[in-house]
Amino acid sequence: MPTTVKRLHEALSEADFPADRAALVRYAEQAGADAATLRELHGIPAETYGSLGEVERAVSFAVPQDPRERAARHRARGRPGLSEQGREVGKHPIVEELGENRDS
């Protein structure tokens, strides 16, 4: 499970900024941060961060995809590299409502 903004704030509540990645990880470990938060902090670029907001922008809060959702999304997209002309596309809503365009 990925970390949340709340858990990140709790882990870095005592952090002094500016701080580099190693210092942020130490602050989080001292605060008793969970494994997901520590993993995300280890994954941020090795830079000096001037504020908690900068750390938030560097951390990924994305939820991992459920395998069923990923498979459904893959089926909906079609085969990779297939152009729009090769995909089955339903009728345009205006054509459905008004009928075919008759060379107007």
Side-chain angles (χ1 to χ4, degrees):
M1 174 168 213
T3 192
T4 63
V5 175
K6 181 180 178 185
R7 288 192 284 178
L8 182 67
H9 280 252
E10 289 171 356
L12 299 178
S13 62
E14 300 295 321
D16 293 325
F17 290 96
D20 63 353
R21 178 180 64 189
L24 293 171
V25 170
R26 280 194 306 275
Y27 284 122
E29 287 172 344
Q30 291 169 357
D34 60 300
T37 302
L38 289 172
R39 184 175 49 253
E40 291 299 330
L41 286 173
H42 279 288
I44 63 175
E47 300 175 359
T48 300
Y49 296 89
S51 68
L52 189 53
E54 289 181 11
V55 178
E56 280 182 32
R57 287 188 289 275
V59 169
S60 170
F61 296 106
V63 178
Q65 291 182 351
D66 178 35
R68 284 177 281 157
E69 290 176 8
R70 189 174 63 236
R73 210 169 295 133
H74 180 70
R75 283 190 303 270
R77 275 186 292 183
R79 293 189 311 257
L82 190 61
S83 69
E84 278 296 315
Q85 293 136 350
R87 294 184 183 176
E88 290 184 29
V89 180
K91 284 189 169 183
H92 193 278
I94 294 176
V95 172
E96 287 180 357
E97 184 176 332
L98 302 176
E100 292 291 324
N101 185 358
R102 296 195 173 95
D103 296 330
S104 36

